[in-house]
Amino acid sequence: MSLEHYKSLVAKLPLLKKEIAKVIVGQQEAIDEILISLLASGHCLLEGVPGLAKTLMVKTMSEALQMSFKRIQFTPDLMPGDIIGTEILEEDHETGKKFFKFNQGPVFANIVLADEINRTPPKTQAALLEAMQEKSVTYGGTNYVLPNPFLIIATQNPIEQAGTYPLPEAQLDRFLLYIKLNYPNEQEELDVLKGTTGSFRAQIDRVLSDEEIIDLQKLTRQVHISEELIKWINKLVRSTRPEGSPSDFVKEWCDWGAGPRAGQALVLCAKARAVLNERFAVIPEDILTLAYPVLRHRIAMNFRAEAENISTDQVISELLAVMKP
């Protein structure tokens, strides 16, 4: 691919954000992080209270990309077959012979919204996470490849935890980013009230095709990052581990820290953020911004920290304060 081709694709990314902004008011940080997950070929976990337009945000993005979109509402009685699909018995009308045909589940889409993933039992969660990791589904000994590009956005409600099945730490680690949605500010909320209670519906224009997204994903891995920044990322990730951390804060409040996958995720996401900002090289700001969504679900706090309401974000803040690039 020529440099001019890549530059023309990168120039479309601000237009993509502009199309999403026709429907979604504010939440720019969360939108950027979802797009970073897409460019880095990863998946993300989205946490926010009800009513913050999580579903609408993802659906709008899929429309601007003209990508197939499926939403799965996770419930306690959801089974793995409800996600990946199942075989159904059919009959050949000419011969009268009966045969089994695989009926694809909702996971066969470019963008899959796994709504309230913590409301379904571990067996069903594992089926989704296997599809995330392998980007394919095996049923009856046959392997079915999932669409490309493929992005899973799982949501969870931080308020009501009764009757939920929290994701184990090993499964949380499979998500590239853990994104937290905040309430809109006063002006944004006022704009939401004005814009969503009338008859006007914004028309979303297609900005990027599937093939162009795949090209951008290839470009992301080619973005330059200096040796010094890679060493700093490695040092930052290793400092989250209590046994060898130079930080007394980490030693006092953390049970265990992030693994090597966190460093890989931070490098890839920093490259994706550079592309999103129309750059072809990573700068320290990319790493500082993405350290929180990359690391917050990969650090385990001890019981005392949980009792004192000390969060993983505070750990990351402490480390970044003393470990500037």
Side-chain angles (χ1 to χ4, degrees):
M1 293 290 178
S2 66
L3 181 61
E4 288 72 24
H5 173 71
Y6 282 133
K7 283 183 176 178
S8 67
L9 292 182
V10 170
K12 291 183 179 182
L13 290 170
L15 301 177
L16 174 61
K17 293 199 282 186
K18 189 176 179 181
E19 289 301 310
I20 297 171
K22 287 181 179 179
V23 176
I24 304 300
V25 178
Q27 303 294 5
Q28 194 56 59
E29 186 178 333
I31 291 168
D32 284 354
E33 289 171 0
I34 292 173
L35 292 174
I36 285 167
S37 287
L38 179 62
L39 293 174
S41 305
H43 309 283
C44 53
L45 184 62
L46 193 60
E47 183 179 274
V49 299
L52 294 184
K54 296 187 289 293
T55 302
L56 183 62
M57 184 186 300
V58 179
K59 191 172 186 297
T60 303
M61 187 180 79
S62 68
E63 288 176 3
L65 294 169
Q66 282 290 295
M67 296 167 76
S68 58
F69 169 76
K70 294 285 179 65
R71 176 179 176 268
I72 308 170
Q73 180 62 55
F74 280 72
T75 55
D77 60 348
L78 199 72
M79 298 298 289
D82 298 327
I83 295 173
I84 64 173
T86 187
E87 286 184 336
I88 56 175
L89 188 63
E90 290 198 353
E91 183 178 343
D92 189 318
H93 296 296
E94 293 182 3
T95 65
K97 290 184 179 180
K98 294 183 179 180
F99 61 94
F100 283 101
K101 179 184 176 183
F102 181 70
N103 190 32
Q104 295 182 349
V107 77
F108 285 85
N110 294 118
I111 299 178
V112 179
L113 179 65
D115 226 347
E116 295 191 289
I117 190 173
N118 56 334
R119 295 213 171 274
T120 203
K123 185 177 182 180
T124 307
Q125 292 174 350
L128 180 74
L129 292 162
E130 183 183 0
M132 285 168 48
Q133 186 68 17
E134 304 300 330
K135 297 193 175 179
S136 65
V137 166
T138 302
Y139 194 99
T142 304
N143 188 259
Y144 301 92
V145 178
L146 294 168
N148 186 31
F150 179 60
L151 172 67
I152 285 182
I153 303 171
T155 72
Q156 60 182 20
N157 180 351
I159 300 174
E160 188 185 351
Q161 296 300 322
T164 61
Y165 304 86
L167 288 169
E169 284 77 7
Q171 292 184 358
L172 277 173
D173 193 39
R174 299 289 180 184
F175 287 98
L176 190 70
L177 295 179
Y178 184 176
I179 303 168
K180 290 193 174 182
L181 275 180
N182 298 312
Y183 287 111
N185 62 38
E186 186 175 354
Q187 183 58 50
E188 288 171 346
E189 193 158 358
L190 186 62
D191 291 341
V192 168
L193 295 178
K194 290 177 179 178
T196 59
T197 54
S199 58
F200 174 75
R201 292 292 180 269
Q203 178 66 41
I204 303 299
D205 296 324
R206 178 179 180 175
V207 178
L208 287 163
S209 68
D210 294 1
E211 292 77 15
E212 288 173 326
I213 287 292
I214 292 169
D215 286 345
L216 283 168
Q217 289 175 339
K218 292 176 183 176
L219 171 64
T220 296
R221 288 185 170 267
Q222 297 172 34
V223 167
H224 174 73
I225 180 169
S226 69
E227 184 74 19
E228 290 75 17
L229 288 180
I230 291 178
K231 287 180 179 178
W232 180 65
I233 287 173
N234 191 44
K235 187 178 177 183
L236 176 64
V237 171
R238 291 178 64 83
S239 68
T240 64
R241 304 166 192 167
E243 64 277 4
S245 178
S247 168
D248 291 334
F249 192 88
V250 170
K251 291 176 180 177
E252 182 178 0
W253 300 110
C254 296
D255 252 354
W256 49 266
R261 191 181 280 125
Q264 294 172 319
L266 193 46
V267 171
L268 266 177
C269 289
K271 288 183 175 186
R273 188 178 186 272
V275 172
L276 194 62
N277 287 279
E278 301 179 77
R279 286 184 278 104
F280 295 95
V282 173
I283 61 175
E285 183 189 342
D286 297 325
I287 300 164
L288 291 169
T289 302
L290 290 163
Y292 292 93
V294 167
L295 294 173
R296 64 166 53 113
H297 57 301
R298 294 182 163 102
I299 301 171
M301 310 303 290
N302 58 33
F303 288 114
R304 288 198 308 114
E306 291 178 11
E308 296 286 338
N309 285 324
I310 294 175
S311 68
T312 54
D313 279 17
Q314 288 174 261
V315 174
I316 298 164
S317 294
E318 287 285 336
L319 289 174
L320 291 178
V322 297
M323 295 182 63
K324 294 289 184 184

